[in-house]
Amino acid sequence: MSEQERTAGPEEGRRLLIVDDDADMLKLLAKMLAKHCRCEIVLAGSADEALSVLEQSPPDVVLSDIRMPGMDGLRFFEQINHHVPAITTILMSGYGTIEMAVQVLKKGAYDFIEKPFDRERIIRTVSRALERTKLVRENERLQQMLHGREVSVHGFSGSSAALRSTLARLERVAASDVTVLIRGESGTGKELAAHALHAMSARAHKNMITVNCPALPEAILESELFGYRRGAFTGANQDKAGLFQEADGSTILLDEVADIPVSVQTKLLRVLQEKEFRPLGQNKTVRVDVRVLASTNQDLEAKMRTGHFREDLYHRLNVMSITMPTLEQMASDIIPLAQVFLEKFRKESGRDELEFSAAALSYLMRRRWPGNVRELRNAVQRAVLLCDGDAIGAADFNDGAGDSFTDAPPEAVPTWNLGAAYKEAKEHALAQFHKAYLTAILREHQGNVTHAARAGGLDRQALQRLLRRYGLSGQSFRS
């Protein structure tokens, strides 16, 4: 056959390659399967012709006769299995025996069909084979997402739209010397963002200075920030340079700046305005070249209204503002982040065999995380310490605060290994993860299927098929 004949089934966008040296058989199979399996059909009259099709655009499923002139179907199958193992192959023959069927299946073929074939059986077998290939490819994509395809920049790890947007903003701001106010809930990585800003700046060759503002009493905070001269107060037995002086030419982070007392805020304002200050007990001003970063998890606007935070200082600090996303806004990153933490803590504890069970993954996606990424990190570390077996269960996340969790029976909860889960026909873990992951990306994109598909690395039709399978709808996530 000189040309490939195609019958399109645009609903599904899947491809089936049929290989047979009998032209009438090819046409019969193409007409029947295109109608019932809703897929594109590609026909080839020989194994050599089929191999050229595979090189150009691999199909999802191959349905091939065994007895053909030249390269027979068994050798052709060996070529497929060696070069493109993700393709599902069904072999058929009019001269089949039980021994041949056993041999074919042992070599890894999906099924063996005898001619003349039963119409309902071949339709059912091809439909299942198409579904099988789709699952295998989705598994591979999820495996890659879990093990290295996510963003990993300056300590941040994930692939959600919220995280990508935040990192892009950090990169744009980093090159300038502008003052940045980093806002966000506890555990969202504000200090990590400050370190990223410093690391991407021209000041990265010098160490960044971090001041934990709430940890220092008012009297000590001022002397720590600005330094003092010998004799400035009782106990000042020698001159001491302040942290602003130490940060000269570098970056200083005022962590939890909302807790700085009003008396110290006045002096801080002068540093921001004039780039100079006076150490305690000294009349001469000291000039510094310091980039100031500040972070807070508090409502500075409310503190201004009550007089606990100076408005002019607020405007000096808030030249550029970056708000760190919550873990709820990065819901699609929960499982990848948990995997990163698991790899870290199992290495530290010498327990390389540990994996998440399906119940654990389901729990991670269902649980609320008011402490954000820090809370997730702590939960995984605690689970590694508490787990007795090789698979972390939901109960291992129990922190003793009153919540208790019960795993499903062991046989219903396979260890989180997508390849093994499919190979052993244990699809429970995959189904649970798919549903949780789809729920997360739909929630993140407020039910917009197009945006959710792009974030998940799928085309829109593929995502819609998955949503139908798991009984989900974008409409229910729209506010």
Side-chain angles (χ1 to χ4, degrees):
M1 184 173 296
S2 58
E3 295 184 1
Q4 301 157 16
E5 300 178 28
R6 289 173 163 69
T7 305
E11 270 189 65
E12 294 294 324
R14 298 179 293 184
R15 301 179 78 236
L16 167 66
L17 170 62
I18 307 177
V19 190
D20 201 310
D21 60 326
D22 184 337
D24 291 334
M25 179 62 70
L26 283 176
K27 290 178 182 177
L28 172 66
L29 287 167
K31 184 177 180 180
M32 177 177 62
L33 295 173
K35 179 180 178 181
H36 292 280
C37 298
R38 297 180 299 168
C39 60
E40 179 185 10
I41 306 291
V42 182
L43 305 181
S46 69
D48 289 328
E49 186 181 348
L51 284 174
S52 68
V53 173
L54 287 172
E55 289 176 2
Q56 294 169 13
S57 182
D60 297 286
V61 173
V62 171
L63 174 63
S64 175
D65 192 23
I66 290 180
R67 286 206 175 188
M68 294 183 291
M71 184 187 298
D72 65 20
L74 289 176
R75 284 179 56 210
F76 173 53
F77 169 61
E78 289 172 359
Q79 292 285 320
I80 297 173
N81 216 26
H82 179 69
H83 295 291
V84 200
I87 294 176
T88 304
T89 305
I90 304 166
L91 294 173
M92 55 186 178
S93 176
Y95 307 92
T97 63
I98 292 176
E99 290 77 13
M100 180 182 286
V102 171
Q103 179 189 5
V104 163
L105 294 174
K106 277 187 174 180
K107 286 180 178 290
Y110 180 70
D111 207 343
F112 175 80
I113 295 175
E114 287 186 87
K115 295 179 181 178
F117 47 76
D118 176 83
R119 181 176 176 276
E120 293 301 321
R121 186 195 168 197
I122 198 167
I123 290 171
R124 183 171 63 251
T125 301
V126 170
S127 297
R128 288 176 177 172
L130 287 165
E131 189 68 13
R132 185 259 182 194
T133 300
K134 184 169 70 173
L135 281 172
V136 169
R137 287 178 175 165
E138 286 172 4
N139 290 348
E140 290 174 348
R141 185 184 66 79
L142 289 170
Q143 286 269 38
Q144 290 174 339
M145 183 193 74
L146 285 173
H147 298 287
R149 278 181 56 183
E150 65 271 4
V151 176
S152 185
V153 180
H154 297 294
F156 290 98
S157 184
S159 60
S160 64
L163 178 61
R164 289 182 182 277
S165 175
T166 301
L167 289 175
R169 191 172 177 86
L170 287 170
E171 288 173 0
R172 284 196 299 270
V173 173
S176 73
D177 270 344
V178 68
T179 303
V180 182
L181 178 60
I182 306 169
R183 312 186 74 158
E185 294 180 7
S186 177
T188 52
K190 297 185 292 297
E191 187 172 349
L192 194 60
H195 280 281
L197 284 172
H198 176 68
M200 291 186 284
S201 75
R203 299 171 181 265
H205 64 284
K206 300 193 71 173
N207 291 332
M208 185 179 84
I209 303 297
T210 300
V211 185
N212 186 356
C213 298
L216 298 172
E218 180 176 351
I220 297 176
L221 178 61
E222 183 175 357
S223 62
E224 285 294 312
L225 288 175
F226 308 114
Y228 52 83
R229 295 285 291 176
R230 180 181 175 182
F233 53 83
T234 303
N237 299 321
Q238 59 184 7
D239 294 350
K240 184 181 186 302
L243 295 175
F244 268 96
Q245 216 165 334
E246 286 186 28
D248 190 22
S250 186
T251 306
I252 191 167
L253 167 64
L254 304 175
D255 193 20
E256 297 304 336
V257 71
D259 291 313
I260 291 182
V262 175
S263 61
V264 181
Q265 290 177 28
T266 305
K267 205 161 185 177
L268 178 58
L269 179 63
R270 179 174 177 83
V271 179
L272 292 171
Q273 289 175 332
E274 310 296 338
K275 301 294 183 184
E276 63 180 28
F277 60 90
R278 288 183 182 178
L280 291 172
Q282 180 172 307
N283 294 325
K284 186 179 178 181
T285 59
V286 176
R287 292 195 62 82
V288 288
D289 171 25
V290 177
R291 184 187 191 179
V292 177
L293 307 177
S295 69
T296 184
N297 63 3
Q298 297 185 46
D299 186 342
L300 288 182
E301 292 78 6
K303 290 185 76 80
M304 281 193 296
R305 289 192 293 272
T306 60
H308 291 95
F309 203 86
R310 291 182 58 119
E311 185 175 353
D312 46 5
L313 177 59
Y314 168 81
H315 290 300
R316 283 288 178 181
L317 291 172
N318 196 37
V319 177
M320 178 63 70
S321 178
I322 293 177
T323 301
M324 302 304 294
T326 64
L327 193 53
E328 184 177 355
Q329 293 168 326
M330 298 163 47
S332 59
D333 289 334
I334 291 174
I335 298 302
L337 278 169
Q339 190 72 24
V340 169
F341 296 142
L342 175 61
E343 289 174 5
K344 171 182 170 59
F345 294 126
R346 69 184 176 189
K347 283 180 183 177
E348 290 181 2
S349 61
R351 302 188 64 188
D352 292 340
E353 79 286 353
L354 276 183
E355 295 286 353
F356 288 123
S357 70
L361 290 165
S362 177
Y363 165 74
L364 289 171
M365 291 301 297
R366 286 186 290 108
R367 174 172 166 170
R368 295 187 63 82
W369 299 99
N372 296 292
V373 178
R374 184 187 295 125
E375 184 181 4
L376 174 63
R377 182 183 186 275
N378 293 344
V380 174
Q381 184 177 24
R382 183 168 55 248
V384 169
L385 294 172
L386 293 176
C387 180
D388 291 327
D390 292 344
I392 293 174
D396 293 320
F397 291 102
N398 186 1
D399 59 5
D403 292 332
S404 62
F405 305 92
T406 304
D407 288 344
E411 62 273 16
V413 185
T415 297
W416 183 248
N417 181 319
L418 291 174
Y422 181 82
K423 193 173 182 180
E424 298 168 15
K426 295 178 179 178
E427 296 176 4
H428 178 67
L430 176 64
Q432 279 197 308
F433 176 74
H434 271 166
K435 191 166 184 178
Y437 181 74
L438 292 170
T439 299
I441 60 173
L442 282 173
R443 184 181 294 120
E444 180 182 337
H445 295 279
Q446 299 177 335
N448 187 313
V449 176
T450 301
H451 292 171
R454 189 178 299 120
L458 299 167
D459 61 51
R460 195 173 191 277
Q461 286 186 335
L463 179 59
Q464 286 177 324
R465 289 196 298 272
L466 286 170
L467 295 180
R468 285 195 296 272
R469 184 189 308 163
Y470 296 110
L472 298 172
S473 167
Q475 185 68 39
S476 59
F477 293 89
R478 292 173 189 159
S479 53

